[in-house]
Amino acid sequence: DRLADLARSLVILSLAIAIGAALFFRELRRKISEPIHALVSFTREVAKTRNFSRRLESRADSGELLELAGAIDFLLEQVEAHRLMFEKGEHERQQLERQLQQTQRLEAIGRLVGGVAHDFNNLLFVIISYASLLKNAAEPGSGDYDDLEEILKAANDASDLTSQILT
C-alpha cells in the first residue's frame, strides 16, 4: 500500500515535471535562459542522485519560474515523505517477519515437546500396568510389595507431570 503510494507520487511528480516543463520552458526560454539551464541541471541531478530533499535555488526575477520552483519543491517534499513512509513500512514488515519466524520456531519446539511427552506418557502407562500386575501378585507388607508401591507412586507422579506438559 505504501509502495503504491510512493509509486503514485513518483508518477505525479514525473507528470508534473513533464507538463510544467513543457508549458513553462516554451515561454521562459524566450525570456530567461540561465534559470532554465539551472532548472534542467537541478532536475537531472535529482534524477541521478535520488536526493529528493534538495531544493531548487533560483536567482531569477521571473514570477513564473519562482512558482515553478515552489511547485517542484512541494512535489519533492511529497516524494520524500512517501519515501520515508515506505522505508518505515519496509522496516516494520521486516520486523513482523522476524517475529513470525520466531513464533514458528517456538511452535515447532512446542510440537516436538508435545510429541516427546506423549511418547513418554505411553512408556509410563506400560510401567504402571506391569508394576500394578506385580503388586497384585506380591504379598502385602513384603519388601517387593513396598518397592512396587514406590514405583507406582513415582510413575503416577511422572504421568501427572507429563499430563501437565500436554495441556
Side-chain angles (χ1 to χ4, degrees):
D1 207 26
R2 291 181 181 153
L3 183 59
D5 287 343
L6 181 59
R8 279 192 286 276
S9 294
L10 288 173
V11 168
I12 290 169
L13 174 65
S14 299
L15 288 174
I17 290 173
I19 292 169
L23 295 174
F24 287 108
F25 280 99
R26 186 179 74 218
E27 184 65 28
L28 293 176
R29 189 172 286 150
R30 286 183 273 155
K31 295 180 181 180
I32 307 166
S33 64
E34 183 180 310
I36 290 174
H37 292 297
L39 180 60
V40 170
S41 296
F42 170 79
T43 305
R44 285 182 180 150
E45 183 178 335
V46 168
K48 180 180 176 183
T49 64
R50 301 285 194 251
N51 180 4
F52 297 110
S53 62
R54 190 173 183 291
R55 296 292 170 252
L56 176 64
E57 297 174 16
S58 176
R59 289 176 291 244
D61 294 330
S62 170
E64 291 101 0
L65 186 59
L66 290 175
E67 286 179 29
L68 177 61
I72 290 173
D73 282 348
F74 173 76
L75 289 172
L76 290 174
E77 287 171 7
Q78 295 300 310
V79 169
E80 180 66 9
H82 281 91
R83 185 188 64 78
L84 292 173
M85 282 177 24
F86 174 75
E87 286 178 358
K88 181 181 177 187
E90 181 64 19
H91 175 72
E92 289 172 358
R93 185 193 64 76
Q94 290 172 350
Q95 189 174 13
L96 288 172
E97 193 173 289
R98 284 191 295 271
Q99 289 175 353
L100 175 62
Q101 290 171 351
Q102 178 67 17
T103 301
Q104 289 171 336
R105 284 191 290 265
L106 290 174
E107 184 181 335
I109 290 170
R111 282 194 306 269
L112 177 65
V113 167
V116 169
H118 184 75
D119 290 346
F120 186 69
N121 208 29
N122 289 341
L123 294 172
L124 287 172
F125 177 76
V126 172
I127 292 170
I128 291 170
S129 296
Y130 278 110
S132 294
L133 288 174
L134 291 172
K135 179 183 165 198
N136 289 338
E139 207 45 52
S142 69
D144 289 343
Y145 187 87
D146 293 341
D147 290 343
L148 289 168
E149 276 190 338
E150 289 298 317
I151 291 171
L152 284 169
K153 183 178 178 276
N156 283 319
D157 289 347
S159 180
D160 290 342
L161 286 173
T162 305
S163 294
Q164 288 177 11
I165 292 172
L166 289 172
T167 57

